[in-house]
Amino acid sequence: MTVTYTARVANARFCGFSKLLLAWKGSIYKVLYKEFLAFFAMYTAISITYRFLLVDDQKRYFERLSIYCNNYASLIPMSFVLGFYVTLIVNRWWNQYTSIPLPDRIMCTLSGGVQGGDERGRLLRRTLMRYTSLSAILILRSVSTAVFKRFPTMDHVVEAGFMTREERKKFESLHSRYNKYWVPCVWFINLAAVARCEGRVKDDNTYKLLIEELNDFRGKCSMLFHYDMISVPLVYTQVVTLAVYSFFLVCLIGCQFLDPSQGHPGHDLDLYVPVFTLLQFFFYAGWLKVAEQLINPFGEDDDDFETNWLIDRNFQVSMMAVDEMYGDLPMMERDRYWNDSNPRPPYTAATLFVLRKPSFQGSTFDMAIPKEEMNFQPLEEIAENLEESVKRNGNLALFNRLLSSAPSPTGFMGGALRRTSAQLQRLTRPLSPDPSFSDEEAEREESMRRSEGKVGSTPSVLGLDTTQSTICSCGGLINTHPPLSVVEFNKQEHEEEREQSCFKNNEEENKGAMISEKESLVPKIPPPTLQTSTGRNQQRQHQPPTTDPQSLLALDQGMPHLSTSGPNNCSVPDFFSFQLINDQAEVMTPNAKAESGVSLLSLQSLEVLAISDDFERADGGRLKMITLNI
């Protein structure tokens, strides 16, 4: 029987393996003691001959020979050769054990898949299970010497009850020069098909499951047969064996103690007993013996597989599962924790220490963080940090605040464009230096726009991309209101100061293309008079207030809606709108897509990509193109 010592090493203790050194069955002493005694006897005989039987000339010659053998014995790579060989053998040994066919999966499938509590159903289940056991016995008696000694002929198999006499006649009538361990598997398939036709197997899925489990069982039988037929290459085994034996034959001469009076290097002591040489033999030869025992685990060594025990266990368990336990189900009862929402099985006094151990909650459960780092940061501060990155001038910061407050571009439908346009004007109105422009005037203007159909519905060509570009242009005011597709600003008197603080580029390049394109898209209207904020305020103080809608509209077209001033401003826009384009790399002039009706309602963030040179207009004003990244 296989030597099992698992319980003795369940807990690691001081010198826990030292108790195993005293075991004899399955030990290295039992396997190696004969070789060890033979080596020691040969070493002793050579040592006695050198010391007492040889003359002085012969002793000198033997000493030179011993030194030569000792110098060149290390050229044999013992550790390298034995290490790879034993690793290969151990892996092969475990794979052979996992290839032993076990009937557990088939017996569970048969017990639940083949129906019928009558004698016919019982006969079907027992016969199918016996065919699987017969196939396992046929393959095991082909590879295991212990099983073959138990069942040397087919008569012994019939007498043991694994095969009937009629089945033996059919088995022997099949003439084949190959091993016929697979024949009972074919009988299993045919009988399962009969059970399916009779309705004992309820559906095709159960029938398919039976076939799959049998094929897995037959595949393991085939693997055992191939492991027995395909051994480790003989040349590898021969190389390892020759390396070990030749090494220790050389050590018989090279590891002898020489006469210290001769003054040979390394031979200052004469201990008579070669302790380290014997240990070397014990380790290397024992390593070879391990491979020798494991290379075929189906023999009769102490650590070989107990195949006869496996046959008895598998046959008894499988028959009980498909026959006595068929339909055997205990009465269902409420368990003792039926009304307990937090059941906890009891502990004995020997295992009570488990309750004192804390439950594992995760590797970061006990992680400590300072209290000052646990506070959430306000979103306003985060937004302000984002705005600082675009505060190169006052207008861009204003754009970021206004555009981020608008709704998402993916959610507007129909009237969302109108609501956003009104909201944009309300946000910009408090910043206007004109106090005469009130909210009532804005409402009247919005109602007039709705009546005239100035504000359209959502363009069908509007993309839903969250990352887009916006092109702005600085110039005169447009009295007609396209759907937020053009951005224009009036020129201020601080043009020289803006040119010094902003980016300067070539103002003559592309001027003709910009003018022609703008003239084709923008209605021809006289530009408003460019004034400073102070001048406009002074001018408006002399104008009488009016409530006429047409006058308000004309006033709106002639006066700015947005005006900012400060030392950091690069431009003072009169009116602004924006346009979305899907391609960030595409740089367009203002009003390039005015006809398409593409408009933008909300932008989450704004970043200046490039500011081109300003261009002169035909009316004397200047245009500036700003490419923004949203």
Side-chain angles (χ1 to χ4, degrees):
M1 181 134 183
T2 302
V3 179
T4 302
Y5 58 90
T6 307
R8 302 174 66 178
V9 294
N11 299 320
R13 298 186 178 90
F14 177 72
C15 295
F17 281 1
S18 60
K19 299 178 180 179
L20 302 177
L21 300 178
L22 303 178
W24 176 255
K25 186 177 181 180
S27 64
I28 188 63
Y29 319 119
K30 183 179 179 180
V31 176
L32 193 61
Y33 78 95
K34 296 180 181 179
E35 286 83 355
F36 184 82
L37 293 177
F39 177 79
F40 184 71
M42 294 173 64
Y43 183 90
T44 304
I46 295 174
S47 179
I48 292 174
T49 302
Y50 163 71
R51 294 173 186 274
F52 303 105
L53 300 180
L54 298 180
V55 296
D56 292 341
D57 295 338
Q58 293 174 344
K59 286 182 179 180
R60 304 291 85 79
Y61 180 81
F62 180 81
E63 291 170 358
R64 291 193 297 269
L65 178 62
S66 177
I67 294 173
Y68 176 83
C69 293
N70 187 36
N71 291 335
Y72 288 94
S74 60
L75 296 179
I76 302 175
M78 292 296 300
S79 300
F80 178 80
V81 173
L82 279 173
F84 275 98
Y85 185 71
V86 174
T87 302
L88 174 64
I89 295 301
V90 170
N91 291 334
R92 176 185 171 89
W93 166 77
W94 182 249
N95 290 335
Q96 288 183 78
Y97 180 77
T98 57
S99 298
I100 295 177
L102 300 176
D104 297 69
R105 296 178 60 178
I106 295 183
M107 72 183 186
C108 294
T109 307
L110 284 176
S111 180
V114 181
Q115 305 295 327
D118 54 349
E119 185 177 359
R120 175 65 177 175
R122 180 186 178 191
L123 181 62
L124 285 172
R125 289 189 298 272
R126 290 184 65 91
T127 304
L128 289 171
M129 199 70 252
R130 184 169 56 83
Y131 285 159
T132 58
S133 299
L134 177 60
S135 180
I137 289 175
L138 292 179
I139 191 61
L140 287 175
R141 68 185 296 270
S142 301
V143 301
S144 175
T145 57
V147 177
F148 184 81
K149 288 181 179 180
R150 183 179 180 182
F151 306 104
T153 62
M154 294 302 296
D155 293 333
H156 293 81
V157 177
V158 174
E159 187 177 354
F162 292 98
M163 180 185 290
T164 63
R165 298 189 181 274
E166 185 65 25
E167 292 169 354
R168 178 189 175 185
K169 292 179 181 179
K170 285 186 172 294
F171 184 82
E172 293 180 349
S173 64
L174 298 173
H175 301 286
S176 177
R177 55 192 296 262
Y178 304 106
N179 195 319
K180 295 185 291 185
Y181 67 90
W182 48 269
V183 172
C185 295
V186 178
W187 292 346
F188 183 99
I189 296 294
N190 296 335
L191 187 58
V194 173
R196 178 70 182 98
C197 295
E198 293 180 359
R200 301 287 179 172
V201 179
K202 294 300 183 181
D203 50 39
D204 293 336
N205 291 331
T206 305
Y207 178 71
K208 177 184 177 182
L209 183 60
L210 281 173
I211 302 304
E212 290 177 350
E213 294 298 337
L214 179 70
N215 285 332
D216 182 71
F217 185 87
R218 190 212 60 80
K220 291 187 175 181
C221 295
S222 178
M223 285 303 299
L224 284 185
F225 180 77
H226 288 293
Y227 271 119
D228 184 68
M229 181 177 64
I230 307 298
S231 303
V232 177
L234 181 61
V235 292
Y236 200 0
T237 304
Q238 289 176 344
V239 167
V240 175
T241 305
L242 289 175
V244 174
Y245 288 165
S246 60
F247 176 79
F248 286 108
L249 286 176
V250 173
C251 287
L252 287 175
I253 300 175
C255 295
Q256 291 288 335
F257 287 100
L258 303 180
D259 188 3
S261 62
Q262 300 298 321
H264 298 293
H267 293 274
D268 300 333
L269 296 176
D270 189 3
L271 300 179
Y272 297 99
V273 179
V275 179
F276 290 99
T277 302
L278 294 178
L279 288 177
Q280 196 175 26
F281 177 84
F282 188 83
F283 297 146
Y284 285 155
W287 214 352
L288 182 64
K289 280 295 180 181
V290 169
E292 183 180 337
Q293 283 220 329
L294 299 183
I295 193 171
N296 183 14
F298 293 102
E300 297 180 274
D301 298 326
D302 291 338
D303 282 317
D304 286 343
F305 301 149
E306 293 292 337
T307 50
N308 285 320
W309 177 84
L310 286 173
I311 290 174
D312 296 339
R313 179 263 174 194
N314 294 340
F315 187 72
Q316 189 268 338
V317 170
S318 61
M319 286 299 178
M320 180 184 295
V322 299
D323 188 10
E324 296 181 11
M325 294 188 65
Y326 174 77
D328 185 11
L329 186 65
M331 182 181 298
M332 292 188 299
E333 297 179 0
R334 293 184 178 182
D335 57 84
R336 61 179 301 178
Y337 307 104
W338 180 265
N339 296 320
D340 192 355
S341 60
N342 187 20
R344 174 175 291 183
Y347 288 86
T348 61
T351 59
L352 191 60
F353 68 94
V354 178
L355 294 176
R356 302 188 183 98
K357 295 182 178 180
S359 178
F360 181 75
Q361 301 293 334
S363 58
T364 62
F365 184 73
D366 298 330
M367 185 175 177
I369 301 177
K371 291 185 178 181
E372 59 272 9
E373 296 182 3
M374 295 183 182
N375 299 327
F376 285 109
Q377 297 298 320
L379 297 179
E380 292 77 6
E381 296 182 4
I382 300 177
E384 290 177 0
N385 294 334
L386 294 177
E387 292 177 359
E388 290 179 359
S389 62
V390 295
K391 280 187 176 180
R392 299 177 62 176
N393 53 62
N395 292 332
L396 296 179
L398 180 61
F399 285 166
N400 191 16
R401 290 195 298 272
L402 294 178
L403 298 181
S404 61
S405 63
S408 173
T410 59
F412 54 80
M413 293 293 294
L417 185 63
R418 297 188 298 271
R419 291 193 299 271
T420 305
S421 177
Q423 181 183 5
L424 190 62
Q425 292 183 2
R426 286 196 299 272
L427 289 174
T428 59
R429 194 163 295 122
L431 299 177
S432 175
D434 187 8
S436 62
F437 196 84
S438 62
D439 293 339
E440 297 179 357
E441 296 176 355
E443 294 178 358
R444 294 191 190 98
E445 180 182 354
E446 184 66 20
S447 61
M448 293 179 64
R449 291 178 181 176
R450 292 178 181 176
S451 62
E452 295 176 3
K454 297 290 184 178
V455 181
S457 59
T458 304
S460 60
V461 296
L462 182 61
L464 298 180
D465 296 337
T466 58
T467 303
Q468 297 180 357
S469 299
T470 303
I471 298 179
C472 303
S473 61
C474 302
L477 179 68
I478 303 176
N479 59 348
T480 60
H481 300 277
L484 296 180
S485 61
V486 180
V487 178
E488 292 199 5
F489 302 92
N490 287 332
K491 179 181 176 183
Q492 304 298 326
E493 292 182 355
H494 301 286
E495 184 68 19
E496 297 179 357
E497 181 180 357
R498 182 191 61 182
E499 292 179 356
Q500 294 177 0
S501 60
C502 296
F503 297 100
K504 293 183 177 182
N505 295 316
N506 187 6
E507 63 180 5
E508 296 298 331
E509 184 178 0
N510 297 332
K511 181 176 67 175
M514 292 283 294
I515 295 175
S516 60
E517 188 172 6
K518 189 160 185 65
E519 291 176 354
S520 62
L521 296 177
V522 181
K524 300 297 184 177
I525 60 172
T529 304
L530 301 178
Q531 301 178 6
T532 59
S533 300
T534 305
R536 286 195 298 270
N537 293 335
Q538 294 175 357
Q539 183 179 0
R540 291 190 180 189
Q541 291 177 359
H542 299 285
Q543 295 177 356
T546 179
T547 58
D548 185 22
Q550 298 295 335
S551 301
L552 291 175
L553 180 59
L555 182 62
D556 176 42
Q557 296 175 356
M559 288 187 301
H561 290 183
L562 178 63
S563 176
T564 58
S565 61
N568 297 329
N569 291 345
C570 296
S571 62
V572 182
D574 288 335
F575 179 80
F576 69 91
S577 60
F578 43 84
Q579 175 185 358
L580 294 180
I581 58 176
N582 291 329
D583 191 2
Q584 297 183 13
E586 182 180 1
V587 179
M588 300 176 55
T589 57
N591 295 335
K593 291 188 177 180
E595 297 180 357
S596 62
V598 179
S599 61
L600 176 66
L601 294 182
S602 64
L603 297 175
Q604 299 299 328
S605 62
L606 187 63
E607 180 182 358
V608 178
L609 293 183
I611 301 179
S612 65
D613 293 338
D614 36 348
F615 306 96
E616 295 183 358
R617 297 189 313 181
D619 55 8
R622 303 187 68 83
L623 298 175
K624 179 175 289 292
M625 181 174 65
I626 304 175
T627 302
L628 305 177
N629 187 22
I630 306 305

